[in-house]
Amino acid sequence: MAPSLSTAVSSLLLLLLLAAAISVSSSPPMPEDSIRVISAEKRIDLTSPIVKVFLTLKLENDATAPEASQVLLAFTPTEVEHLAIVKATRAEGKRKKKIYVPLSVKASDLAAAPNGARLYSILLSTPLKPAEVTTLEVFYALTHSLEPFPAEITQSDPQLVYYRDSAVLLSPYHVLEQVTYIKMPSNRVESFTRVDPTSRAGNEVKYGAYNNQLPNSYVPILVHYENNRPFAVVEEFVRKVEISHWGNVQITEQYKLKHGGAQHKGVFSRLEYQSRPSISGVSSFKNLLARLPPRVHSVYYRDEIGNISSSHLRSDSHKSELEIEPRYPLFGGWHCTFTIGYGLPLQDFLFESDDGRRYINLTFGCPLLDTVVDDLTIKVVLPEGSTSPQAVVPFLTEQYLETSYSYLDVVGRTTVVLKKRNVVGEHNVPFQVYYEFNPIFMLAEPLMLISAVFLFFVACIAYLHMDLSIGKS
């Protein structure tokens, strides 16, 4: 019994070892085995509430490796949670003939890197050949990544924030040389982590250059600085676009706005705020700028109380800017809700495609500048009788259909609903909604009105010709 048991155990161990060897041999090679980063420059812009990062990566494929069709980016779990957008371009050509070709970026299906880092894939338009060198320009934006410290301030206190990152580039590749620049809105920098070599010039801190960084290297740093820019956060933004083939596009935008900076403590003094504007309330904001489409008309700005007259519209054939002022200045943690509405000429936005379908060309995102939208909803209400709607958006969104009802509607209007979270200014790009429409449906409402008027007059004539008096028998 003992020899048989020993033989069975040995056979089982041999099978396990063989399966492990097959798994290792069949698994794809790690990305650092074929690509290396010759030089990397990382520029972090902290001058606004939205963290904007610009990466310049000079990459080389190994001479003995196969062609590479993608390049991987690594982000920490915290960065992935606050990541709003990632864009990449590839430099092609030389000197004056150099052009930057946009590349597709998506979350990678590969297993997470060490310490829970998530990988994103940059899909190359042409594969990177063995021993070939190329340059990529990467941009990404992070929201809610600045931590106010102290978390509560009085009306006259400036706002200080923390920013956390790494002195070296988090990458699945071997980085030969790398430097990081962090730019802040002012020269007031309370403190910053030093990782030699580190230097500071005015409102910019430089980390590096660092050489021969191993894959997945991470050196945490903390920067504490003053940032009094408006931390305007739109918690909920709903835009309703109503299309009328009689010549008008009516847009209604509902905002739920808050100040996302350090919480205000103490009592608000209107007298101090107006008498000392350069000191009192430096971190608050009392106006915002909305960039609207050109040739807007019938603009209104109101809240629950009624119309708000403290707004200014500048419009021409190229752009329209609406400067709005809430009823009170917003400090950290304060909220306000309001509605903006305006009309647009239909001929500027409605077109016909080659296949005969109609489509409306609109702009995604929020028109308020330098704001973060936590939850965005766009509802495109098509004319009654529209069929086969299709939304074309250049990034991932949640899409579904619903039915809306308005005056004189019989079967309701097909409504295309688009939803997206964590929206920034870089999402303000054109998108299209295609649909099919039979012009005969444009006669539905006029015929209903004509029929109603006709029936009314018939009823009047019938009433006048009827004798309802009670005669003697």
Side-chain angles (χ1 to χ4, degrees):
M1 290 294 295
S4 300
L5 181 60
S6 175
T7 303
V9 171
S10 300
S11 300
L12 181 60
L13 290 175
L14 181 62
L15 289 174
L16 291 174
L17 290 174
L18 181 61
I22 293 174
S23 173
V24 170
S25 62
S26 62
S27 60
M30 293 299 292
E32 59 266 22
D33 293 341
S34 59
I35 295 178
R36 62 177 180 173
V37 180
I38 300 177
S39 64
E41 181 182 277
K42 183 177 182 181
R43 292 189 174 271
I44 305 173
D45 187 354
L46 302 181
T47 58
S48 72
I50 303 171
V51 179
K52 299 179 180 180
V53 182
F54 303 85
L55 286 178
T56 302
L57 303 176
K58 189 175 182 180
L59 306 167
E60 181 184 32
N61 195 10
D62 191 80
T64 60
E67 294 183 346
S69 60
Q70 65 177 1
V71 174
L72 298 178
L73 295 175
F75 296 95
T76 65
T78 303
E79 288 177 330
V80 172
E81 182 181 354
H82 300 292
L83 189 63
I85 191 172
V86 186
K87 298 192 295 185
T89 58
R90 183 180 185 180
E92 296 184 359
K94 296 182 179 179
R95 296 183 180 179
K96 293 184 179 180
K97 295 184 178 180
K98 181 180 291 186
I99 60 173
Y100 290 90
V101 180
L103 303 176
S104 177
V105 183
K106 65 177 184 178
S108 175
D109 296 330
L110 298 177
N115 299 321
R118 290 286 306 277
L119 299 177
Y120 278 67
S121 298
I122 301 177
L123 305 181
L124 301 178
S125 54
T126 56
L128 190 63
K129 299 177 181 179
E132 184 182 0
V133 177
T134 190
T135 301
L136 299 183
E137 300 284 347
V138 180
F139 166 81
Y140 62 90
L142 303 172
T143 61
H144 304 293
S145 295
L146 301 180
E147 176 188 351
F149 187 82
E152 295 182 349
I153 57 176
T154 63
Q155 180 175 333
S156 58
D157 290 337
Q159 180 174 255
L160 302 177
V161 297
Y162 277 147
Y163 174 69
R164 307 172 192 271
D165 207 320
S166 172
V168 300
L169 177 67
L170 177 61
S171 173
Y173 306 118
H174 184 200
V175 183
L176 299 185
E177 184 181 5
Q178 189 247 325
V179 62
T180 299
Y181 298 91
I182 301 179
K183 183 180 179 181
M184 283 146 287
S186 68
N187 292 334
R188 183 178 178 185
V189 180
E190 297 292 306
S191 63
F192 58 92
T193 306
R194 294 186 176 272
V195 181
D196 291 334
T198 303
S199 60
R200 176 190 169 189
N203 64 337
E204 188 174 78
V205 177
K206 176 184 177 182
Y207 287 93
Y210 304 111
N211 300 319
N212 295 321
Q213 294 297 315
L214 296 177
N216 302 307
S217 297
Y218 189 86
V219 180
I221 57 172
L222 178 67
V223 182
H224 191 204
Y225 67 99
E226 180 179 335
N227 190 341
N228 290 318
R229 294 289 298 274
F231 277 51
V233 178
V234 181
E235 295 181 306
E236 187 176 357
F237 172 68
V238 179
R239 174 189 292 158
K240 186 177 182 181
V241 182
E242 297 180 84
I243 304 171
S244 172
H245 281 185
W246 292 101
N248 187 58
V249 178
Q250 183 63 39
I251 296 181
T252 305
E253 299 174 345
Q254 298 177 344
Y255 295 83
K256 185 178 179 181
L257 179 70
K258 80 166 185 178
H259 190 306
Q263 300 288 310
H264 178 264
K265 68 177 181 180
V267 179
F268 170 66
S269 171
R270 172 73 70 171
L271 177 62
E272 181 183 354
Y273 184 82
Q274 293 181 342
S275 61
R276 304 171 62 193
S278 61
I279 300 176
S280 179
V282 290
S283 64
S284 67
F285 61 90
K286 60 180 180 180
N287 55 52
L288 293 169
L289 186 64
R291 188 159 293 165
L292 306 179
R295 300 179 63 189
V296 297
H297 62 84
S298 306
V299 181
Y300 63 86
Y301 166 48
R302 63 171 66 113
D303 59 8
E304 296 90 341
I305 300 176
N307 187 56
I308 305 176
S309 59
S310 56
S311 61
H312 308 280
L313 176 66
R314 298 181 293 272
S315 179
D316 55 33
S317 59
H318 300 288
K319 64 178 181 178
S320 300
E321 293 182 342
L322 178 65
E323 184 180 0
I324 61 175
E325 296 183 13
R327 293 187 182 274
Y328 47 85
L330 291 184
F331 286 82
W334 291 14
H335 295 75
C336 73
T337 58
F338 57 89
T339 300
I340 297 176
Y342 51 92
L344 297 169
L346 182 67
Q347 64 269 23
D348 291 351
F349 299 92
L350 187 65
F351 307 94
E352 186 172 345
S353 60
D354 296 336
D355 58 2
R357 293 187 300 169
R358 301 168 188 255
Y359 69 93
I360 187 165
N361 189 49
L362 301 169
T363 300
F364 199 87
C366 176
L368 295 181
L369 301 183
D370 297 326
T371 57
V372 177
V373 181
D374 290 340
D375 191 357
L376 179 143
T377 302
I378 297 179
K379 298 182 177 182
V380 182
V381 183
L382 304 177
E384 190 174 26
S386 301
T387 58
S388 305
Q390 179 189 6
V392 179
V393 189
F395 36 77
L396 291 177
T397 58
E398 179 187 350
Q399 302 182 14
Y400 59 91
L401 300 178
E402 64 181 24
T403 303
S404 302
Y405 292 90
S406 185
Y407 301 106
L408 301 178
D409 286 344
V410 178
V411 296
R413 305 185 182 190
T414 302
T415 303
V416 180
V417 183
L418 307 175
K419 284 181 172 289
K420 188 170 180 59
R421 297 187 58 82
N422 209 17
V423 176
V424 293
E426 283 70 22
H427 288 109
N428 293 6
V429 296
F431 76 99
Q432 299 77 36
V433 176
Y434 290 81
Y435 61 95
E436 297 178 1
F437 181 76
N438 190 339
I440 197 66
F441 282 97
M442 294 184 64
L443 301 177
E445 293 181 359
L447 289 177
M448 291 176 62
L449 291 174
I450 293 173
S451 301
V453 173
F454 177 76
L455 292 176
F456 174 75
F457 280 105
V458 169
C460 291
I461 293 172
Y463 174 77
L464 293 175
H465 285 78
M466 292 178 64
D467 186 6
L468 302 179
S469 60
I470 301 176
K472 295 182 179 180
S473 56

